[in-house]
Amino acid sequence: MSTQTVLGFDYGTKSIGVAIGQQLTGSASPLTSLKAVDGIPKWEQIEALLKEWQPDLVVVGLPLNMDGTEQEMTQRARKFANRINGRFGVKVATQDERLTTADAKARLFELGGFKALTKDQVDAVSAVLIIESYFENQYR
């Protein structure tokens, strides 16, 4: 089985969390948080990440309502995923991220208490959880 490298994005209108994961280990690590202006990232930063990590797949978290229905942010995240695919020709998947922000805060709190909870770190850890839940869904 070839090991797949996955770049994950936690899409937001002001900040986009980024993480890198390996399918072989089923784990991921936080990378960074990119600033966005009304949901628009600096595309050259995304291009630089794609060049650096050469992912086999990009996974973008889809923010759904708790009942699973879509909201405006769902559409924006989907559009962001489509743009990555269209601009860079990389394979893109989306992953339900309903609980990732709460999980990210809980995980960071375990690691370092309130001091660990900077917005950038929460976004990057949310991207980790998006990748990990994507991996879990692959093995079901």
Side-chain angles (χ1 to χ4, degrees):
M1 169 185 150
S2 69
T3 177
Q4 236 193 357
T5 301
V6 176
L7 197 61
F9 290 97
D10 175 38
Y11 176 80
T13 53
K14 294 189 182 77
S15 174
I16 299 168
V18 188
I20 189 77
Q22 291 294 334
Q23 193 164 21
L24 193 66
T25 58
S27 63
S29 309
L31 282 181
T32 186
S33 239
L34 305 176
K35 293 281 167 269
V37 178
D38 194 27
I40 315 269
K42 290 194 171 81
W43 288 105
E44 57 274 16
Q45 290 180 319
I46 300 217
E47 186 173 19
L49 285 164
L50 291 170
K51 282 198 170 120
E52 182 181 352
W53 295 98
Q54 303 279 309
D56 302 290
L57 178 71
V58 167
V59 177
V60 175
L62 271 194
L64 298 164
N65 293 318
M66 287 319 272
D67 64 1
T69 57
E70 298 205 354
Q71 50 174 299
E72 190 203 345
M73 277 300 286
T74 318
Q75 306 296 339
R76 295 185 73 161
R78 206 184 289 281
K79 191 188 270 186
F80 172 73
N82 290 339
R83 287 211 174 121
I84 290 176
N85 173 258
R87 268 178 192 248
F88 307 111
V90 60
K91 197 172 146 211
V92 179
T94 53
Q95 175 63 39
D96 175 3
E97 59 150 80
R98 269 175 281 185
L99 298 171
T100 53
T101 303
D103 290 351
K105 285 183 177 156
R107 192 180 288 194
L108 278 168
F109 187 72
E110 280 166 25
L111 295 174
F114 284 114
K115 289 189 298 295
L117 295 182
T118 70
K119 174 83 173 94
D120 287 356
Q121 286 173 301
V122 170
D123 291 340
V125 173
S126 292
V128 165
L129 297 170
I130 287 165
I131 293 175
E132 288 177 356
S133 55
Y134 172 80
F135 287 150
E136 282 163 22
N137 286 342
Q138 298 312 295
Y139 298 122
R140 277 199 191 125

